[in-house]
Amino acid sequence: MDKQQLSKDILKLVGGEENIDQVTHCMTRLRFNLNDNKKADKATLKNTPGVMGVMENGGQFQVIIGNDVPVVYNALVGNMSKSPDAKPAASSETSKKKNPLSAVFDFISGVFTPILPAITGAGMLKGIVALLLTFGWIDATSSTYIILSAIGDGAFYFLPIILGISTARKLGSNMYIGAAIGASVMHPTITALLAPGENVSFIGLPVVAATYASSVIPILIAIWLASYVEKAIDKVTHASLKLIVVPTVTLLIIVPVMMIAVGPLGVIIGNGLTDGINWLFNNAGLFAGLLVGGTFSLLIITGMHYALVPIMIGSIATLGFDYLIPLMMVANFAQAGSALGVSLKSKNKQIKSMSASTGVTALMGITEPAMYGVNMRFKKPFVAALIGAGISGAFISFFQTKAYVMGGLAGLSGIPMIIGPTFVYALIGIIIAVVVSAVLTYILGFEDVPEAVPAAAAAPSAVPVTPVAADVNSSASAVTAVEETKVLDQDVFSPITGEVKPLSEVPDPAFSEEIMGKGFAIQPSEGRVVSPINGTVFSLSKSGHAIGLVSDNGAEMLIHIGIDTVKLKGQFFSPKVQAGAKVAVGDVLMEFDREEIEKAGYTTITPVIITNMHQYNTIESAGRTTIKEQELLFTAKA
């Protein structure tokens, strides 16, 4: 691929040099601060050969390139007449240009993504308990039922405490003050005091009765206010008194304010959103389902679906059901149907295999590989999926199909969410979504990719990996040539001690949607990275947050310490190797200050991925949930 031409194409498609306020790069992507994101041709960029994906995050327009990003960056800069990095990435000027709507979605996704495992686990358990009760396999009066119900309800009942922690972390304030604020309004004494609806006051100010259990909006607003109060008090307090004064004054101000003003307002907003959704589906069910079901995949692409999470949770908490979750499910099943339709229609064996496998994955609720890798790639199948989801959405909404718990992925694994009086309609809706999308894909067709014809005189010679620059100031980095024809199975040992997570839990679509490659993530418990393979360090980011490796067996790897930690510009990172260094399993690559990085407001979850997955068939997990350095993490099967 001609990187010079690719850089020219990208420069043109982001709106030209005059639309670029600043551009930098990390290990995998070009990060643009554009004067106007609307001027960028996002759709064409996504389909440009050499571009793995496009996303907008925190006001940045990001073009995902992969390991070749430094080469493309240097070519891009060479085609510009002005310096693209005259201003720092975090300048106030850039911050002022940040789209408020994007900031809201980024805030909501940043708050809810970390707590989804707790909600998912609890919601799945609630669904299983409902299933056991429906079939008479458990007695509603038994202690077993009561205990299981408490486990399922716990995360939802004490949601203000969980959200207090997550919101404070997202805003860069003290997580435990956030938890204390949530715990204060959940205290049994406060709950009992407000329950009867009697006149209650605090220093003469009226306290309005409000139920905080399972609530979302009040705690989000309260912690947002608390972040400003905490920082303001911290600025005017002497260092020797901060530990005592800052949390005390913050709690003393925010908790009463929450009970007097924020709580009731938040409850009104939350109930208003819930009532509005219910009114829409009760009065315009068929058309509401057609509209929401048909556009849900578009919401997922833009990240706007995160804005619906508080509404879903609030609806289940206050009404015991939700209309939006079934629509999200049929949208996902429609994407699966279109991918399976591509598999049936295509004459290309590789396309048939890929679309079939991604279609099955989408049936389980993980739609990104099918949506980005197949349906959007061929365009018409994506349109077919939107139509199929719209028709299915109209059907299930006409029959007021509901979800009764929140938990699990919106696929086959999420079936317990829809078990209830409208279960049959939900199943019919799922079948409609899959079948209509698959049939429409087959009928509409698409521009198939012809089978590659191997050259008759192809010699078994080595194909070297493209050299990648180590950072923005490097013109080249030492890379050991890797023979693609000799790639073998690759055991990948853990580079970090910590907790093993699926990539889906990484709060960055480039990793969670496996755009960059496949593997696992680790939530570190220690601040050290060792080599997971025997091979060569082929790239080391200037900021130290990312390390590229190529193994002796031909596996190209990326270890990305934290998300958006490139913004720290090397602070808290201490590299122990240089690009070009030969390493063995267990050799120390990097040390980092985990606590300080997290205090600065960044997650340290670390994706460990294979980036040349086109040379491998699958990833096999070692099955560990916690892991130590040099223990087997996964195997890439060639």
Side-chain angles (χ1 to χ4, degrees), residues 561-589:
I561 307 166
I563 301 303
D564 278 340
T565 43
V566 63
K567 296 177 182 178
L568 291 172
K569 299 181 180 179
Q571 189 178 12
F572 310 131
F573 292 94
S574 178
K576 302 301 178 185
V577 292
Q578 294 180 343
K582 292 288 292 182
V583 291
V585 173
D587 288 350
V588 179
L589 304 178

Side-chain angles (χ1 to χ4, degrees), residues 120-462:
T120 298
M124 283 296 292
L125 187 54
K126 284 167 68 72
I128 292 170
V129 171
L131 189 64
L132 295 175
L133 196 62
T134 301
F135 286 98
W137 295 336
I138 193 171
D139 187 347
T141 61
S142 68
S143 57
T144 300
Y145 172 81
I146 293 171
I147 292 171
L148 287 176
S149 295
I151 298 172
D153 289 334
F156 292 96
Y157 184 83
F158 292 103
L159 193 59
I161 299 176
I162 298 173
L163 279 174
I165 295 171
S166 184
T167 307
R169 182 174 184 176
K170 172 63 179 176
L171 295 171
S173 53
N174 191 292
M175 295 184 292
Y176 304 104
I177 293 178
I181 293 171
S184 297
V185 297
M186 291 300 299
H187 194 282
T189 304
I190 297 296
T191 303
L193 181 67
L194 299 179
E198 298 177 0
N199 292 331
V200 179
S201 64
F202 177 78
I203 59 173
L205 298 172
V207 175
V208 181
T211 302
Y212 293 99
S214 305
S215 64
V216 173
I217 305 295
I219 194 70
L220 292 178
I221 298 174
I223 302 302
W224 175 69
L225 291 173
S227 68
Y228 286 98
V229 172
E230 182 183 336
K231 290 169 186 174
I233 298 169
D234 186 79
K235 285 182 180 179
V236 298
T237 304
H238 190 274
S240 62
L241 299 174
K242 287 181 187 292
L243 181 61
I244 299 173
V245 174
V246 175
T248 303
V249 177
T250 302
L251 288 171
L252 195 56
I253 293 174
I254 292 299
V255 175
V257 168
M258 182 177 180
M259 296 177 65
I260 293 167
V262 172
L265 176 62
V267 170
I268 291 171
I269 294 172
N271 290 342
L273 291 171
T274 300
D275 292 343
I277 292 292
N278 290 334
W279 182 90
L280 181 65
F281 283 94
N282 288 331
N283 292 275
L286 188 149
F287 298 104
L290 178 68
L291 177 64
V292 178
T295 59
F296 219 111
S297 291
L298 299 176
L299 296 180
I300 292 173
I301 291 171
T302 61
M304 292 174 65
H305 64 296
Y306 282 110
L308 301 177
V309 173
I311 300 175
M312 295 175 186
I313 295 173
S315 182
I316 289 176
T318 57
L319 302 175
F321 61 81
D322 176 66
Y323 288 115
L324 294 174
I325 293 173
L327 291 170
M328 180 167 59
M329 292 184 71
V330 298
N332 285 355
F333 279 108
Q335 293 293 335
S338 286
L340 295 173
V342 171
S343 180
L344 293 172
K345 183 81 171 178
S346 178
K347 304 299 183 184
N348 186 310
K349 291 181 181 178
Q350 185 177 2
I351 297 298
K352 289 178 76 71
S353 175
M354 179 182 68
S355 53
S357 62
T358 58
V360 172
T361 304
L363 288 175
M364 297 307 297
I366 304 172
T367 58
E368 285 82 3
M371 188 158 62
Y372 291 108
V374 178
N375 299 338
M376 292 181 69
R377 174 183 177 185
F378 295 112
K379 299 180 181 62
K380 288 183 181 179
F382 184 70
V383 174
L386 297 182
I387 295 172
I391 294 172
S392 176
F395 173 83
I396 64 174
S397 295
F398 180 78
F399 291 100
Q400 295 189 339
T401 306
K402 306 173 182 71
Y404 300 92
V405 296
M406 185 169 185
L409 296 170
L412 291 176
S413 62
I415 292 296
M417 295 191 292
I418 55 176
I419 294 175
T422 58
F423 182 54
V424 173
Y425 300 118
L427 289 183
I428 295 174
I430 288 171
I431 294 171
I432 291 173
V434 174
V435 173
V436 169
S437 300
V439 170
L440 276 177
T441 297
Y442 198 90
I443 293 173
L444 293 175
F446 51 89
E447 189 174 342
D448 201 6
V449 178
E451 291 272 13
V453 180
S461 57

Side-chain angles (χ1 to χ4, degrees), residues 104-120:
V104 170
F105 292 145
D106 177 63
F107 171 69
I108 293 175
S109 68
V111 169
F112 282 93
T113 299
I115 71 170
L116 284 179
I119 295 175
T120 298

